[in-house]
Amino acid sequence: NAGVTQTPKFQVLKTGQSMTLQCAQDMNHEYMSWYRQDPGMGLRLIHYSVGAGITDQGEVPNGYNVSRSTTEDFPLRLLSAAPSQTSVYFCASSYRFERSSEQFFGPGTRLTVL
Amino acid sequence: AQKVTQAQTEISVVEKEDVTLDCVYETRDTTYYLFWYKQPPSGELVFLIRRNSFDEQNEISGRYSWNFQKSTSSFNFTITASQVVDSAVYFCALSRAARQLTFGSGTQLTVLP
């Protein structure tokens, strides 16, 4: 199993550009989520999904869109990048979201918006 | 309100010293889980432990131990005889019924040789 994979590892964008961060898992996990990590703020939840076709907002959803057309993939879209979106982005998954679930994290994508 | 506070931003110790990382949480849920994750310099997040709100027994795994005290809403993590490889950012997190994992801001631990 590859686990949770994320592409790209690094990305530089100009303000106003759009892009999609890719996340895939091969563990047949129902629950997938996106976090952003900023210095001194830990990880904050952006969006999450409890299954194909079902998504919901986390703590900091503004400026990001998600969709979940398959169990395996959960892409994160930035429609018009802003410098405030410079961050490290982590995708995570678990079999289900129960309160006891251990989250499996991808390696992260480091995004810089100029 | 759901909140996890890790008041220690950075800790520096000399190898073989013991070190305790503090975690204080707030929640209105009666059932919840607490987690610790490690983020080494390579950047990935590594799961260390989970503890549910009904189990206040301390846990020990090798040089790692965890102290959960519901009365003080704390879930502290102690590394005994620290090693350079323990240098990392450590995150405490709270899982609740609303399908969200809330992280603390993390503690950067540096173990000096």
Side-chain angles (χ1 to χ4, degrees), chain B residues 51-112:
Chain B
R51 171 67 69 209
N52 77 55
S53 52
F54 297 106
D55 182 1
E56 291 194 65
Q57 283 192 338
N58 291 337
E59 180 152 345
I60 299 174
S61 176
R63 296 184 297 107
Y64 295 171
S65 63
W66 290 269
N67 181 279
F68 176 36
Q69 291 197 334
K70 217 166 170 179
S71 60
T72 56
S73 297
S74 65
F75 186 43
N76 297 337
F77 173 30
T78 297
I79 302 175
T80 304
S82 59
Q83 300 176 0
V84 172
V85 293
D86 295 326
S87 296
V89 181
Y90 291 86
F91 291 100
C92 181
L94 168 68
S95 174
R96 55 195 178 102
R99 299 171 175 166
Q100 299 193 15
L101 195 59
T102 300
F103 283 82
S105 55
T107 298
Q108 170 72 60
L109 173 66
T110 302
V111 181
L112 302 168

Side-chain angles (χ1 to χ4, degrees), chain A residues 31 35 37 97 99-100 103, chain B residues 31 37 39 50 95 99:
Chain A
Y31 182 88
Y35 292 86
Q37 182 180 11
F97 193 89
R99 279 165 281 198
S100 60
Q103 299 292 308
Chain B
T31 302
Y37 283 86
Q39 186 177 43
R50 98 191 97 218
S95 174
R99 299 171 175 166

Side-chain angles (χ1 to χ4, degrees), chain A residues 35-56:
Chain A
Y35 292 86
R36 59 178 288 173
Q37 182 180 11
D38 302 294
M41 303 194 74
L43 281 81
R44 292 179 294 168
L45 183 66
I46 304 171
H47 286 286
Y48 65 95
S49 169
V50 299
I54 306 169
T55 63
D56 207 344

Side-chain angles (χ1 to χ4, degrees), chain A residues 3-37:
Chain A
V4 180
T5 58
Q6 292 182 238
T7 56
K9 290 184 73 86
F10 301 95
Q11 183 70 49
V12 179
L13 291 178
K14 293 181 180 177
T15 297
Q17 286 185 317
S18 63
M19 81 157 296
T20 299
L21 307 185
Q22 301 292 345
C23 174
Q25 52 87 13
D26 61 358
M27 298 175 282
N28 201 31
H29 283 174
E30 291 183 357
Y31 182 88
M32 296 185 74
S33 56
W34 278 101
Y35 292 86
R36 59 178 288 173
Q37 182 180 11

